[in-house]
Amino acid sequence: MQRNNNHTTIVTIEKVIDETPTVRTLVFSDDVMSNVLPGQFAMVWIPGVNELPMSVMISKEPGKAAFTVRKHGPASTGLFNILEGQQIGIRGPYGNSFDLKEGKLLLVGGGTGLVPMMRLLTFVKPTDDVTVLIGAKSKDEVFFEDLANNLLENNPHKVIVSTDDGSYGEKGFVTDLVEKLVSKSHFDGVYVCGPEIMMYKTVQSAHSRKMFVQASLERMMKCGVGICGSCCVGEDLVCRDGTVFDGQHLSTNKEFGHFYRNKAGILENY
Amino acid sequence: MNQLLYSKLSSLFKVELSLATSIGQIQLDRPVMLASGILGISLDVFNRLYRSGVGAVVTKSLSTEPWEGYPNPTIFSVKGGGWINAVGLSNPGATNFAKMIEPNQDVPIIVSLVGSIPEDFETMIKQFENCKVTAYELNLSCPHVAKVGLEVGDDPELVKKIVTTAKNTTDVPIIAKVGLGTTHYLNTVSAAIDSGIDAITAINTVRAMAIDVETQRPILSNKFGGLSGTPIKPIALRCVYEISSKHDIPIIGCGGISTWEDAVEFFLAGASAIQLGSAVGDNWIDVFNDINNGILQYMKRKNYSSIKEMVGLAKKQ
């Protein structure tokens, strides 16, 4: 019988990979999650702790998927601390996915925003010329550089890392690098996921030059199915209308890049 | 609603088919409302819902201060249909909310309120003096937050005091939303009517829970939540029928409505309008126009020109 996306499925964590001191990837077996599209997400239940929306990470083994989590608040720290052999609940996949163009592509990921970018890389064609930008605060927080290079080994490609403090790769914000690249050459598709200000600047840089750009948004999310309303951005609901939105659409959204809602639903400035 | 279908049907049958309805003094162009607690924190979303066919938007229940609500998981999908939620009445507070809806002119907004004492409701209603509010709905029936909701609704004397205070604070119609608590809900209805309530919404979600067999623990962080969706529809329908059989009071039916047939059932049981929420989680916001169109087709087939003609017909059988 086909699984109902809304029903919680319990899975066992089979492998925990330390990516950085604060980022871990948790691998589990699940056919549905192993086949999700880039941009889609799952609601992940950490029993006794919380439930949070997570982009679904790829795994090299068939039938397996993963979550890559940075410990931050109580919920993400709860997931970060899950050990091999422990169980979590998942429901989904929810949301739409990136619309993959062909030709010259630019993928921009900041922190765990790299997760949907890595999944997107598994969908590029061998002829696509792909540039991946990885943004991090410092050398300690860089991850997925080798993975991106491995996934693109048959493509013309570049993987460029930038760190805010210059301790690794290029120095500066990844958005400065985006601006530099899109001002020099045309990209057929630009894709971004990461902190919202990073996405806002990337969308502006590409959209103002009439390039096709998409961003995968993140918001406070409680239900994941369009009931609670917590994840609204302007008139859009990230869970039902997104997570992926076109630059064209985002350029008309009054809240994107400017405001977020707190747990009580009050708009606050970035 | 679908204007093309509307004009096509009207011209075909030479009758002015209208989805307009009145709930006492409350006039709506369309009978399907968004129930409280759903998608209710952004005016932009309200505008989108209005374009999608709602007759009115009922806001999230607002409290005097902002509430964060419970930690996740706050919602659970029941196998076989329905949802259990314990969002915990998360809301930005009446003051912040009033500021947000002040520019609104187009969308009929029904402001839902929760509180523990009559003064809470007086304070909050005063916050909305500069807003265009179609009605206030007093949430006397939330089943999963202490000191408000059902704990208030279960005390008919407190209900009387709250309704009287609310009525003395504003001329805008006041609706009481009742549900299934420890006191028989008909006693709550009677108390509200005795104090001059303008309409009743019946019912709220029903207290419930879910346990995961693998991890052997309750799933919702609050353990208990409110069951909504198709499993509670027959219960809600019974309550609407009972209230309309006992009292001459405008009723808004709420509980598990997801199709036009469900909506018509509630009209026949005595409701003048309906609210839905869970169906949005199942079918997204297309559900409003689908139901409007279904009601119109039914009216055409049965030769009704208004919702009013259907209200309470099942009681005559």
Side-chain angles (χ1 to χ4, degrees):
Chain A
M1 202 177 80
Q2 201 184 357
R3 189 158 101 192
N4 181 326
N5 289 355
N6 292 329
H7 295 158
T8 305
T9 298
I10 302 294
V11 296
T12 303
I13 298 304
E14 294 163 10
K15 199 187 224 176
V16 176
I17 303 161
D18 285 329
E19 307 287 0
T20 78
T22 58
V23 176
R24 278 179 184 163
T25 297
L26 315 176
V27 183
F28 58 96
S29 293
D30 188 72
D31 277 336
V32 173
M33 291 297 159
S34 73
N35 287 311
V36 306
L37 297 169
Q40 289 191 298
F41 69 97
M43 292 299 293
V44 180
W45 177 44
I46 310 112
V49 181
N50 212 307
E51 185 188 46
L52 73 169
M54 294 292 299
S55 284
V56 186
M57 185 56 193
I58 48 172
S59 170
K60 285 170 200 157
E61 296 168 70
K64 295 193 179 188
F67 297 116
T68 296
V69 60
R70 180 190 295 281
K71 66 171 176 179
H72 182 62
S76 60
T77 303
L79 186 57
F80 179 89
N81 289 333
I82 292 278
L83 307 169
E84 286 176 13
Q86 288 188 329
Q87 292 178 313
I88 57 171
I90 49 170
R91 58 188 174 95
Y94 296 122
N96 64 0
S97 62
F98 289 105
D99 181 5
L100 194 55
K101 300 288 183 187
E102 290 180 32
K104 203 167 152 62
L105 307 176
L106 177 63
L107 279 62
V108 187
T112 50
L114 279 163
V115 167
M117 294 300 134
M118 294 302 111
R119 196 165 265 274
L120 190 60
L121 286 181
T122 65
F123 286 82
V124 299
K125 302 203 168 41
T127 48
D128 292 332
D129 177 358
V130 187
T131 304
V132 179
L133 302 186
I134 296 176
K137 281 185 181 150
S138 63
K139 188 181 178 181
D140 283 353
E141 297 192 11
V142 177
F143 58 97
F144 289 166
E145 184 187 7
D146 292 344
L147 178 64
N149 276 310
N150 289 341
L151 289 168
L152 289 167
E153 61 184 355
N154 298 322
N155 286 71
H157 74 275
K158 276 191 210 122
V159 177
I160 307 168
V161 177
S162 73
T163 50
D164 298 354
D165 64 1
S167 52
Y168 184 69
E170 301 212 12
K171 185 179 189 321
F173 295 125
V174 72
T175 47
D176 296 336
L177 211 49
V178 172
E179 178 63 20
K180 206 164 97 184
L181 288 174
V182 296
S183 65
K184 272 191 203 157
S185 53
H186 178 83
F187 288 89
D188 298 296
V190 178
Y191 305 91
V192 60
C193 187
E196 191 153 313
I197 300 302
M198 185 193 112
M199 293 198 281
Y200 177 73
K201 288 184 174 171
T202 301
V203 167
Q204 278 205 317
S205 292
H207 182 66
S208 64
R209 293 176 176 87
K210 298 188 169 47
M211 289 181 207
F212 178 81
V213 54
Q214 289 186 317
S216 170
L217 269 53
E218 186 180 350
R219 275 291 186 277
M220 166 72 56
M221 210 177 271
K222 293 178 182 175
C223 73
V225 295
I227 292 179
C228 74
S230 310
C231 68
C232 64
V233 185
E235 68 168 45
D236 297 315
L237 273 294
V238 171
C239 68
R240 280 315 272 249
D241 302 310
T243 62
V244 177
F245 296 89
D246 288 355
Q248 178 71 39
H249 185 78
L250 289 172
S251 63
T252 64
N253 190 304
K254 292 174 285 186
E255 292 178 16
F256 173 63
H258 300 287
F259 304 101
Y260 67 97
R261 280 176 201 276
N262 66 18
K263 283 181 185 168
I266 300 169
L267 271 187
E268 294 190 5
N269 281 302
Y270 269 111
Chain B
M1 80 167 222
N2 186 329
Q3 289 298 331
L4 193 69
L5 179 72
Y6 180 88
S7 55
K8 210 171 154 187
L9 290 175
S10 295
S11 63
L12 261 178
F13 288 85
K14 294 181 182 150
V15 287
E16 204 50 44
L17 278 175
S18 172
L19 282 174
T21 191
S22 50
I23 308 114
Q25 300 299 310
I26 306 162
Q27 307 287 330
L28 300 178
D29 290 340
R30 297 167 292 207
V32 189
M33 306 180 198
L34 177 81
S36 181
I38 316 292
L39 294 179
I41 54 173
S42 153
L43 184 54
D44 289 329
V45 175
F46 292 170
N47 276 297
R48 178 177 173 187
L49 287 160
Y50 193 50
R51 293 199 305 275
S52 301
V54 300
V57 167
V58 188
T59 69
K60 274 185 184 281
S61 291
L62 303 164
S63 44
T64 53
E65 300 297 323
W67 286 354
E68 289 193 353
Y70 298 131
N72 274 353
T74 47
I75 194 151
F76 174 78
S77 169
V78 182
K79 283 183 182 165
W83 300 87
I84 306 174
N85 95 81
V87 172
L89 296 175
S90 112
N91 79 88
T95 312
N96 287 314
F97 197 87
K99 268 187 217 144
M100 182 195 69
I101 65 164
E102 226 176 85
N104 174 61
Q105 287 300 320
D106 302 327
V107 186
I109 293 179
I110 295 175
V111 172
S112 174
L113 302 170
V114 284
S116 303
I117 52 171
E119 290 71 23
D120 289 344
F121 293 87
E122 183 183 0
T123 307
M124 288 190 281
I125 289 171
K126 284 182 174 167
Q127 302 287 327
F128 288 90
E129 275 171 354
N130 297 324
C131 301
K132 195 175 159 190
V133 173
T134 300
Y136 293 97
E137 185 180 82
L138 313 179
N139 180 351
L140 307 175
S141 42
C142 172
H144 55 75
V145 177
K147 310 282 183 223
V148 296
L150 268 182
E151 287 190 20
V152 172
D154 275 336
D155 181 348
E157 287 310 309
L158 184 54
V159 168
K160 281 184 187 172
K161 285 178 193 157
I162 287 171
V163 173
T164 304
T165 302
K167 287 296 297 176
N168 288 339
T169 311
T170 178
D171 293 330
V172 173
I174 309 281
I175 306 163
K177 184 169 181 176
V178 300
L180 306 182
T182 51
T183 299
H184 197 295
Y185 77 97
L186 283 173
N187 295 341
T188 315
V189 170
S190 297
I193 292 174
D194 288 349
S195 313
I197 204 79
D198 296 286
I200 299 284
T201 298
I203 58 173
N204 207 317
T205 57
V206 179
R207 195 166 162 85
M209 78 178 300
I211 295 171
D212 175 61
V213 297
E214 290 302 322
T215 55
Q216 304 180 333
R217 59 166 74 230
I219 292 189
L220 297 173
S221 73
N222 185 56
K223 297 185 176 68
F224 303 109
L227 174 65
S228 64
T230 48
I232 70 163
K233 197 208 81 184
I235 301 170
L237 188 70
R238 179 264 294 182
C239 294
V240 168
Y241 191 92
E242 278 181 346
I243 298 168
S244 76
S245 300
K246 197 174 175 193
H247 298 284
D248 183 19
I249 184 89
I251 303 167
I252 301 164
C254 180
I257 297 166
S258 62
T259 65
W260 68 264
E261 290 98 327
D262 295 340
V264 170
E265 268 193 272
F266 277 81
F267 298 144
L268 297 175
S272 305
I274 55 154
Q275 297 177 356
L276 57 84
S278 297
V280 174
D282 294 320
N283 302 318
W284 197 214
I285 54 179
D286 303 327
V287 70
F288 296 106
N289 263 330
D290 289 348
I291 292 179
N292 285 337
N293 290 333
I295 296 170
L296 272 179
Q297 299 276 9
Y298 177 79
M299 289 169 70
K300 176 195 80 175
R301 189 155 52 81
K302 294 282 188 184
N303 217 14
Y304 295 126
S305 57
S306 71
I307 301 285
K308 197 179 174 183
E309 291 168 56
M310 289 182 268
V311 175
L313 281 186
K315 287 184 296 175
K316 293 179 182 162
Q317 301 303 315

